[in-house]
């Protein structure tokens, strides 16, 4: 059976962060329950198409999934187990924000079958948390980690964001120290993206705040790589670091070009080169009639597009790409089509390889976008 990941979108938040373009809705018990029922219906509708897949990862994201009652998360995962072929050793992750990590919510997640928790710490500086519109304090992150560990989570990830408005290098150094002190198993460190139309975007556009320039960004990123490596975290993707054996299997599935079923508002799916997404708006999603078709803006990827995507995503990971594997999966011989581009990337020190297998160099991790851009426009066969 082919493997697949399942993404369950629970796009509700108690408030909206200043940098976030996710159209997360305000949570209410009534709306949450209606949404859950709709999502379970979508799962039921989609399941027959996924009968030949083994689901070995499930990711509950949002939003803030821990706004839902533990009993609702249990029903959701029971639905996945009932309608899909869920592997016995599946990695099942739930995102959580620090303020909603409580003994009740974490015990409920464990009882429902969740075995990995990803907590959005984002910063340990009060002023940055306030500017980002986060509603937790730096101290609450440590409390949340302790609560999750006490509940039994032995696979715990923390998210941090860098390249924040007016961020000083010493603040970032302090963030990394405080994160390492909490001994997470996995770390995601993302550079802040200024998304069009967000309150933060307006502040940047009007000159109210300034984000670090490219040089500043690189320095902050390099500091993270160095500090995390020294603390035993291996970079296995541009923004992701893990202690050995704690790499996120769900995300590896995306980067390897695998199949995934996304359910809920804003979720995307991919199967056999066919990609489709669910509408973003929660209210519109809730209004869909019973038996609705779960796909909007569907797109059939050509073999060439699939090969490109596998190369671009693969070259953001430490394991890199194997051109024979890509050819076996897509029929496209990148060794022939992209020989010049790959050679140029090797010559410029961004990737290293032997003609068949390629992976990013430390410089290539830093300039991952340049690697992607070089492969984005390949000549015709
Ligand atoms: S908690 Fe996450 S999804 Fe919700 S508004 Fe903040 S950044 Fe967006």
């Amino acid at each position: 059976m082919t493997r697949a990941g399942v993404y369950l979108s629970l796009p509700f938040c108690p408030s909206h962060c200043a940098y976030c373009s996710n159209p997360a809705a305000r949570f209410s018990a009534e709306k949450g329950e209606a949404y859950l029922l709709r999502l379970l219906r979508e799962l039921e509708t989609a399941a027959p198409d996924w009968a030949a897949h083994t689901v070995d990862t499930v990711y509950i994201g949002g939003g803030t999934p821990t706004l839902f009652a533990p009993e609702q998360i249990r029903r959701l995962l029971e639905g996945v187990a009932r309608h899909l072929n869920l592997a016995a050793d599946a990695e099942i992750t739930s995102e959580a924000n620090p303020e909603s990590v409580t003994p009740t919510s974490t015990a409920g997640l464990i009882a429902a079958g969740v075995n990995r928790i990803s907590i959005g710490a984002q910063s340990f500086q009060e002023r940055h948390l306030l500017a980002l519109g986060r509603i937790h304090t730096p101290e609450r992150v440590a409390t949340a980690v302790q609560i999750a560990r006490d509940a039994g989570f032995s696979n715990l990830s923390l998210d941090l964001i860098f390249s924040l408005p007016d961020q000083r290098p010493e603040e970032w150094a302090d963030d990394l120290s405080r994160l390492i002190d909490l001994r997470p198993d996995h770390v995601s460190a993302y550079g802040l993206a200024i998304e069009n139309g967000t309150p933060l975007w307006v502040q940047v556009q009007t000159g109210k705040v300034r984000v670090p320039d490219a040089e500043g960004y690189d320095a902050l990123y390099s500091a993270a790589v160095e500090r995390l490596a020294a603390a035993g975290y291996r970079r296995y993707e541009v923004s992701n670091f893990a202690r050995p054996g704690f790499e996120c299997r769900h995300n590896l599935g995306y980067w390897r070009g695998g199949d995934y079923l996304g359910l809920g508002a804003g979720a995307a799916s991919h199967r056999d080169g066919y990609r489709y997404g669910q509408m973003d708006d929660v209210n519109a999603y809730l209004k869909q009639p019973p038996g609705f078709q779960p796909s909007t803006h569907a797109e059939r990827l050509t073999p060439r597009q699939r090969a490109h995507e596998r190369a671009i995503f693969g070259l953001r990971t430490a394991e890199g790409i194997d051109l024979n594997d890509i050819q076996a999966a897509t029929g496209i011989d990148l060794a022939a089509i992209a020989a010049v581009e790959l050679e140029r990337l090797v010559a410029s020190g961004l990737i290293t390889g032997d003609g068949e297998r390629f992976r990013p160099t430390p410089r290539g991790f830093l300039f991952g976008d340049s690697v992607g851009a070089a492969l984005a426009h390949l000549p015709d066969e």
Side-chain angles (χ1 to χ4, degrees), residues 303-357:
R304 260 177 95 97
Q305 284 173 316
R306 292 176 68 191
H308 284 176
E309 289 198 357
R310 282 179 83 125
I312 290 167
F313 284 114
L315 286 172
R316 292 174 65 86
T317 65
E319 67 185 15
I321 55 170
D322 183 318
L323 300 188
N324 290 331
D325 286 353
I326 293 180
Q327 187 168 11
T330 65
I332 297 297
D333 181 10
L334 282 182
I337 299 175
V340 175
E341 286 73 16
L342 289 168
E343 257 171 46
R344 264 194 217 131
L345 287 167
V346 171
S348 56
L350 292 173
I351 65 172
T352 173
D354 58 7
E356 191 178 301
R357 288 199 60 86

Side-chain angles (χ1 to χ4, degrees), residues 123-140:
S123 174
F124 288 89
Q125 315 303 315
E126 189 100 49
R127 73 178 191 109
H128 288 311
L129 288 173
L130 281 171
L132 292 173
R134 304 291 301 189
I135 56 174
H136 64 271
T137 60
E139 295 69 33
R140 190 65 178 84

